[in-house]
Amino acid sequence: MVRGIIFDLFGTIVSNARLFRPVCSKMAQESSAEVVEIERDFVNLYGHYFKDCHKMPFQPERYYYYLLISDLIDKYDLPGDMEAYCNFMYDSFSKFRAYPDARILRAIVNKYSVAILTNADNSFVEKVVKRNRLPHHFLLTSESARSYKPSEVIFERLLSMMEIEKRHAVFVGDSIQADMLGASAAGIKGILIDRSRSYLDYAPRIESLEELPSLLESL
């Protein structure tokens, strides 16, 4: 029987479409480069610096973003400093809106123990959760846990907070690597939310959070 539901945040409950566009647009305005060029480099550097960060001695996301932004400052001769750009980016993150189907949280929060687990720093996570009025009982960030998904450590830390056995919990997320493989390694059943319909053969899988209640009844 499912007693607790753990949700990833960005890409699952809150839209992360064009996540880096605001800060890249600011950088483009302050340089001679096109925003699409800077955004492409930003995404590539993100993959470089954040790859396997869960295997490294813990550093908050800001640490990796500073490295990334420093590279872009050097390449494009940007006038700003890495802290200012990072603060601007974090502010833009905090303004992202929840998907319309996130309203399902209001329907299930009184039936299940609801938690949010995200690879992110506290400052903007707390703001985006508050601005979107996302109902939940527990919230754990990688910064607070000092661990990143897909490490088992962050999942186990949250289960301890929830006081729920792993066999009574499910994890809903949009990433195969960080969410599904991470949950599986921690002994938690994963449910993939596949909004882009990219993994039609994956199971269990939903395309909208509105499908979740009926799926939970069948587990």
Side-chain angles (χ1 to χ4, degrees), residues 6 115 117 138 140 154-162:
I6 306 169
L117 180 65
F138 302 94
L140 183 62
I154 191 170
F155 288 93
E156 292 170 351
R157 169 82 178 275
L158 183 55
L159 286 175
S160 178
M161 291 170 59
M162 298 172 74

Side-chain angles (χ1 to χ4, degrees), residues 57-92:
F58 181 79
Q59 294 286 351
E61 279 202 329
R62 183 177 286 269
Y63 168 83
Y64 296 105
Y65 279 126
Y66 277 2
L67 296 176
L68 184 165
I69 292 170
S70 179
D71 284 355
L72 293 176
I73 289 173
D74 290 343
K75 178 173 181 177
Y76 294 105
D77 194 25
L78 297 171
D81 61 70
M82 56 189 181
E83 182 176 11
Y85 285 126
C86 193
N87 287 341
F88 178 90
M89 180 178 66
Y90 274 20
D91 183 62
S92 72

Side-chain angles (χ1 to χ4, degrees), residues 143-160:
E143 183 176 18
S144 292
R146 298 188 63 79
S147 174
Y148 289 101
K149 297 178 294 181
S151 170
E152 297 174 34
V153 173
I154 191 170
F155 288 93
E156 292 170 351
R157 169 82 178 275
L158 183 55
L159 286 175
S160 178

Side-chain angles (χ1 to χ4, degrees), residues 167-184:
R167 61 192 177 95
H168 293 311
V170 297
F171 184 87
V172 183
D174 67 309
S175 166
I176 296 290
Q177 179 64 38
D179 296 334
M180 297 302 99
L181 294 182
S184 178

